Amino acid sequence: IEEISRGCAGTGVIMSANNSLYCDPLRMFGTPEQNEEWLTPFASGEKLGCFALSEPSTGSDAGAQTTVATVDGDHYVLNGTKNWITNGPQADGAVVFAMTDKTKKNKGISAFLVAKGTPGFSTGKPEDKLGIRASGTCSLIFENCRIPKSSLLGKEGEGFKIAMKTLDGGRIGIGAQALGIA
């Protein structure tokens, strides 16, 4: 990441977000079946992933999530918006965090895998950023987005833990990017 960022900071961000924010939580918490479908093509560079935690009214306060996932038979239905999502416009898949039980606060957040093209999943207009413009950033919008229960990453209620562990690793990538840019 450091060497790539030395040549192009935008390319470093794209790669770092895919590797540390999308692939790493799958590596740590994905089932073998999820890893076959959701990790292998993303780790090989065939597909691109993103990490959807931040929201318009809560920023990066993960515990104040307003995006919800409700159970409907053998599916979850996602509703809400995520903002400032690196790789969002180009991503083939997303790790998305949503409340499954608001009464449990942080322990009521779960993580989900959502593919581009899933009905009810759309992207907002790409942000017109001042720098690192090669890296696309946008909102992800979920309107009655039905995903199979097999899209749950980890266990229900583990989303906050997954997000925090992922961000810890992601900070290493940000440090490598900064060294490369410097």
Side-chain angles (χ1 to χ4, degrees), residues 1-63:
I1 297 296
E2 179 182 345
E3 285 300 316
I4 288 169
S5 296
R6 186 179 322 278
C8 176
T11 303
V13 167
I14 292 165
M15 192 170 156
S16 184
N18 180 76
N19 294 353
S20 64
L21 300 179
Y22 177 85
C23 291
D24 208 34
L26 270 153
R27 181 189 61 80
M28 291 186 287
F29 297 97
T31 65
E33 296 79 16
Q34 287 174 329
N35 286 340
E36 181 67 31
E37 178 181 355
W38 294 92
L39 178 57
T40 301
F42 292 83
S44 73
E46 179 185 330
K47 292 186 175 184
L48 185 67
C50 66
F51 178 87
L53 178 66
S54 298
E55 296 191 350
S57 61
T58 62
S60 59
D61 180 3

Side-chain angles (χ1 to χ4, degrees), residues 158-179:
E158 286 187 338
F160 185 79
K161 176 178 89 172
I162 292 170
M164 295 304 106
K165 265 186 101 74
T166 300
L167 291 172
D168 285 346
R171 289 182 178 100
I172 295 166
I174 291 169
Q177 291 168 44
L179 283 171

Side-chain angles (χ1 to χ4, degrees), residues 110-126:
S110 298
F112 301 92
L113 302 166
V114 185
K116 180 180 192 174
T118 301
F121 172 26
S122 61
T123 57
K125 179 180 168 232

